[in-house]
Amino acid sequence: MSASEWLAGRLLLATPATGGAFERAVVLVLHHDEDGAHGLVLNDPTDVPVSAVLPDWQPHVTEPGVLFRGGPVGQDTAMGLVSVPGDDVGSDLLGMTLLFGGLGLVDLDAPPPVVTPEVSGLRIYVGYAGWGPGQLDGELVQGAWYVVEREPRDPFQPHTATLWRDVLVRQRSTLSLVSTYTDEPGSN
């Protein structure tokens, strides 16, 4: 894959063939290059309120106010994904690293009052999705993921249970037909 085809900032949607931890997952790709890729599963909320782990951040997180499973890798780490006005990639605000398209990562060790005035959305993820060199590229060739453009509201959509379907429905191609896929072969 050439540098112009790297997927950072785009969404990976699990295909019907993808199972396990990624069944119907919507993954925001944070980084992708020849060394590998990593991202966050946007639609896997837990039942654990943010206050159970990071009480100072609870008043500032976007609903539903719980921790999200970012993926199966690094379950002992937490990342804060934020939405900030503008798109100054590479410039950093105090306590944040901007990535792309008004999205960035927040330093969860920073005091929330320092960071939150600049933020319009915040979700906290435990773990992440990770791929080694060439691994994601191989999965794409095998048909494990659909690659689509991200809309600004996707990472902070309140109804995460329907995010996979919602993203598919808005595609202006036959890919939108996959949104009606069920696990019952006779119904497809």
Side-chain angles (χ1 to χ4, degrees):
M1 196 171 262
S2 71
S4 64
E5 297 175 291
W6 299 133
L7 302 178
R10 299 180 76 192
L11 297 177
L12 301 177
L13 301 177
T15 68
T18 306
F22 292 109
E23 186 173 351
R24 294 192 185 222
V26 178
V27 178
L28 172 64
V29 180
L30 301 177
H31 175 84
H32 181 216
D33 64 17
E34 66 276 353
D35 295 325
H38 66 273
L40 295 171
V41 177
L42 299 178
N43 60 334
D44 194 5
T46 69
D47 293 329
V48 180
V50 169
S51 61
V53 179
L54 297 162
D56 293 343
W57 288 96
Q58 183 70 54
H60 309 287
V61 295
T62 303
E63 288 300 321
V66 297
L67 296 171
F68 280 72
R69 283 181 206 86
V73 181
Q75 292 288 305
D76 58 344
T77 63
M79 283 191 245
L81 182 68
V82 292
S83 176
V84 292
D87 191 13
D88 296 329
V89 176
S91 68
D92 294 336
L93 299 170
L94 190 59
M96 286 183 268
T97 302
L98 299 182
L99 300 173
F100 44 73
L103 292 177
L105 295 175
V106 65
D107 178 359
L108 295 172
D109 290 328
V114 169
V115 175
T116 55
E118 304 293 331
V119 170
S120 61
L122 166 65
R123 289 240 164 103
I124 298 178
Y125 295 84
V126 175
Y128 61 94
W131 295 267
Q135 185 180 3
L136 177 56
D137 305 322
E139 289 181 14
L140 291 169
V141 169
Q142 293 171 357
W145 300 100
Y146 302 122
V147 179
V148 300
E149 296 299 322
R150 165 188 53 85
E151 288 189 0
R153 69 176 186 250
D154 291 337
F156 305 100
Q157 184 169 320
H159 306 292
T160 60
T162 61
L163 184 60
W164 184 82
R165 182 189 168 287
D166 295 345
V167 172
L168 284 167
V169 164
R170 73 173 184 238
Q171 301 309 304
R172 295 177 182 251
S173 67
T174 56
L175 184 56
S176 65
L177 298 174
V178 178
S179 67
T180 61
Y181 173 82
T182 70
D183 293 329
E184 300 294 325
S187 300
N188 290 317

